[in-house]
Amino acid sequence: MPEIQLPASLQDVEAVRSVRTPARLDYTFTPGDATSRFLAGITQKKIIGQQANPDSRVYVPARGADPELGAATPIEVEVAQVGTVTSFCVVNLQFYGSGMEIPYTSALILLDGADLSIMHLIQEIPADQVRIGMRVEAVWRDDADIEPTLESIKWFRPTGEPDDVNVRIPGEIRGTGLGSWVGGVAPTELTVRNPRTGEGGTAEFGGEG
Amino acid sequence: MTDQTEAGEILSAPLIIEYPFKRTTGPIIGAFLTGLREQVLVGSKAEDGRVIVPPAEFDPVSGNDLTELVEVGPEGVIATWAWVTAPHAKHPLDDPFAWVLVTLDGADTPMLGALKADGIDAVSTGARVKPVWAEEREGHIDDIAHWVLVDDADEGDRA
Amino acid sequence: MGKERVAVVGIGQTKHEATRGDVSVAGLLREAAGRALADAEMTWSDVDAVVIGKAPDFFEGVMMPELFLADALGCTGKPMFRVHTAGSVGGSTAIVASQLISAGIHERVLTVAFEKQSESEAMWALSLPIPFTPPLHAGAGGYFAPHVRSYIRRSKAPDHIGMLVALKDRQNGLKNPYAHLHEPDITFDSIKESMMLWDPIRYAETCPSSDGACALVLGSEKVADEAAAQGRQPAWIQGTAMRSEPTLSAERDTVLPLGGALCAADVYKQAGITNPRKDVDAVEMYVPFSWFEPMWLENLGFAEPGEGWKMTEAGATALDGDLPVNMSGGVLCTNPIGASGMLRFGEAAMQVRGTAGDHQVDSVRKAVGHAYGGGSQFFAMWVVGKDKP
Amino acid sequence: MRDIAVISFAQTPARRSVPELNEVEMLMPAVHGALEQVDMTIDDIGFTCSGSTDYLAGTAFSFVSTLDSVGPWPPIQESHVEMDGAWALYEAWVKLQLGEIDTALVYAYAKSSPGDLPMVLTRQLDPITVGPLWADSVSLAALQARSLLDSGKATEADMAEVVARSRKDALGNPNAQLAWDRSAEDILAEEYHIAPLRKSDCAPITDGAAAIVLAAGDVARSKVKRPAWIRGIDHRVEPIHLGLRDLTISASTSIAAGKAGVADGKVDIAELHAPFSHQELILKEAIGLGDDTTINPSGGALAANAMMTAGLIRIGEVATRISNGEADRGVAHATSGPCLQQNLVTVLEGEN
């Protein structure tokens, strides 16, 4: 750090080392078409998936584009309010903006009829009993408290059905996953089905819609 | 399967990005802010001899460290200005005012400030100005409450 | 038209701390950049262009902060460029900088990546609540922990692997004077007893929030040859690669992402690496949560599926193992987010230059730097070597 | 250098606000349009690069979700700059110079409408000595305009002429947001907004997106009849503090124009990214354009100014006019930062 030469008037006073510069910006947020349509379903206690074409993936919630095709998702499909836990973590720490009592379980849940898991809470079961493959169902807020937000589903709870041991976990092929090197050989783009050309992919996974 | 329903009313909600950022100043900018608290204005001497205000930590041409701080001002002249007819709530002054770039006495580069003046016709390039200090100062650019024309100094001080 | 050769001829980084209260943002960058220039025996005026990288601007609350930092980085009248590819940005920034030379546009490029997280706080900047958007129930750890659980399930790895990684990296960090966390008393048991934040991730298995910067001076073949002639070993860039995939798509694998493997395969091909485990002497990979070491070992071709954790358990990734990983202590010791990727790339270069000090591995000829970002979806890698490509 | 050309360009109609779409939804027609014009999909693209900034809409990592617009699956080679898309195009041009790939997709987008744009832009300024004053972008531009007027190099009437011509030309641009036919006298009769600027001197606030496809050599020739070849491209920056610059000139633009080779031939058209009328006058001089160059036939930024996008659009506008035979050689300029702090100049040319 170079030596600083101060004018006489500042040599014997306490130096400022930090400064508070609070700043606030106000925005008006609008969520867009796909999210608005999804949330319109939520206000009717329906979970509406969207897809780009009748053969493509069903996304819940869709965010505006099928991310594999790069296309809008105009088609709406109601999916089930039950699904399977594909993974989860147990949270033991109070987080910014979260009013949850700890410990609680945050899980990836693949709803029946959807192709991508949503992240949501699991309750009504001790955290240490949550399992991958467990079947769960949505628990809604009281009707008066339903708002256009996924938080209108308070949490998911076990249905009591047997676990789905064959739950489809995305990417679980090639031994352990899409990005595995098998026998020292790297995967290639052809490991997965190209959604535009239909080429690539394996019989194990990828041919389906 | 249903067809896409006509999107109804567009959802909308406020989004506020707000934080009390705490910035470390380093020694040069720290000295500038210290000066504001003490009602002293300082600049840094660049390699070409120019005095830069607010002080640059690094030579604006070569990028080398600058280390010599010198006292400047407190008066200066307007290098350029802009008249704000309808101030924004975030602006430093509530009534119509002028943004000014002020070249302080002893400085070679001007600094930005808000000038309180009677109207657009009162402001001109080359006019002399001086700072009006905030009553409570903490080492912040807001320690200069605003600037006033030297001729209008008395009126400015009262305001 | 071909590619010109490029080498790292100067490396600098700051002392990383939770709060660098002694320097401004500009001063922080210059601490790293000044050291890199000194290492390259150059001054600010020798630099043709500057490439800056950092993660989201909300961290410092300055929009496109490179604009206000331009003169601090000696950019007046020069080209200045700003890259942002989420957590991989430190790596991709170095790659973009190297391409300015390999394309034949410049001879000497300074690249700097930084984050001064203490100006705000990471939890705020990374989890601004957006209306109508489901919240991350548990921050970044809550996003990654389920994927770690999926890895454990697939690979049948025993519970203690993550703790072994944390212990190794924290002990490596003790040898790195620039590292943020220096925990001389850390033990396997102290990690085990630390709080389980996001089961299966413990507190001691997570990265800190740091203020810090890293800078590299990249030179053309002519510049690097001159450095070599003066006894300063260049780190020759033998390959660079980037890959991206979507955050939330139905088919993608969030544990071992296809993009990560494609990125590795691409960069190895350029560098003439046919057997990564054998041909690579040292690796700095982006491990913000301990379990990512075995995951990336598999994703980057160092281990067969489900076998990555066995390398960790056997000590293969230790400083004296056959494939040292995160010699610097890695992201687990130091995490100024925007700079974290460049620190990986810089450490790889230090290893081949033989300038890594107490964390130097013997006779490194080829080293890999790796960074990832977003929801394990953006990847940047380079291979640097003692030999001209 | 390797011959690289702009082979397609698409933009969304500029609008003050696009509240019914999120960023990816707004962007998709531009990306898809640029690809479809040359009968390509993402599978035909070697490298993708985008430009955007988080602060405009207030959401961090916005580029992460907008990447979905291209369908990056299987994974792609891709990068992002927190800069105007013109710089994303620069990165793609550099990547193409390496000779490994022949095509690149560049896109940019911005929704400025969710925030208070002139105030959002104050967050670019020195966060300690200037930021807390909330000196908005229009106020800073007005300081520059006053400097220019004081220097005697231009008058308010000159500025009004720029406004009148730009907005009239915008009548021929279907994507323009502000287009009208009014005289300079009429504009001068307006009240000041932030003196010496009138509202008409200022660019509108715009939501919008744009995309360009670049291709090298024979690939470009095989896709379009008359590719717009990039003959030179360079960018330079200056200090952010206005006090450290002569505001009546644009020194960085002059350097970039020199390096890009603007003076090596006749310039038929120029698209200058001048969000304020007086800045066109400064840029015209800095680039060295004569009166025989048609400036901003699209209406320029005064007709539509999507942040992070308007610079890329300038390149697209010039390229389109070269490809359709309206011009043989043109200059596109992009700017960033307060009062023309950072500038990029591209020279484009058609083959006869």
Side-chain angles (χ1 to χ4, degrees), chain A residues 96, chain B residues 15-18, chain C residues 58 123-130, chain D residues 58-60:
Chain A
Y96 193 87
Chain B
L15 166 63
I16 298 164
I17 308 282
E18 182 175 28
Chain C
F58 292 124
M123 281 309 280
W124 174 79
L126 291 177
S127 41
L128 298 171
I130 305 296
Chain D
T59 50

Side-chain angles (χ1 to χ4, degrees), chain A residues 5 9 14 20 24 27 29, chain B residues 13 15 20 37 67 71 90:
Chain A
Q5 299 172 46
S9 51
E14 195 195 332
R20 282 278 178 195
R24 169 178 167 145
Y27 297 86
F29 183 85
Chain B
L15 166 63
R37 191 189 65 209
T67 58
E71 201 169 323
K90 291 183 187 300

Side-chain angles (χ1 to χ4, degrees), chain B residues 22-25, chain C residues 13-25 27-29 31-32 35 59-60 113-122 178-181 208-214 333-340 343:
Chain B
K22 185 184 179 189
R23 307 190 181 281
T24 51
T25 61
Chain C
Q13 62 184 294
T14 58
K15 172 70 179 110
H16 309 284
E17 290 175 2
T19 302
R20 279 296 305 268
D22 56 331
V23 287
S24 62
V25 174
L28 187 77
L29 267 78
E31 185 174 315
R35 284 173 181 159
F59 271 121
E60 290 83 6
F114 75 101
E115 211 73 70
K116 200 159 188 314
Q117 294 186 208
S118 68
E119 307 255 318
S120 71
E121 54 186 311
Y178 298 105
H180 171 184
L181 293 185
S209 259
S210 315
D211 284 356
C214 180
C333 290
T334 305
N335 188 32
I337 295 181
S340 288
L343 288 164

Side-chain angles (χ1 to χ4, degrees), chain A residues 62 153 166 196 203 205:
Chain A
I153 296 175
N166 296 315
R196 290 165 294 276
F205 184 80

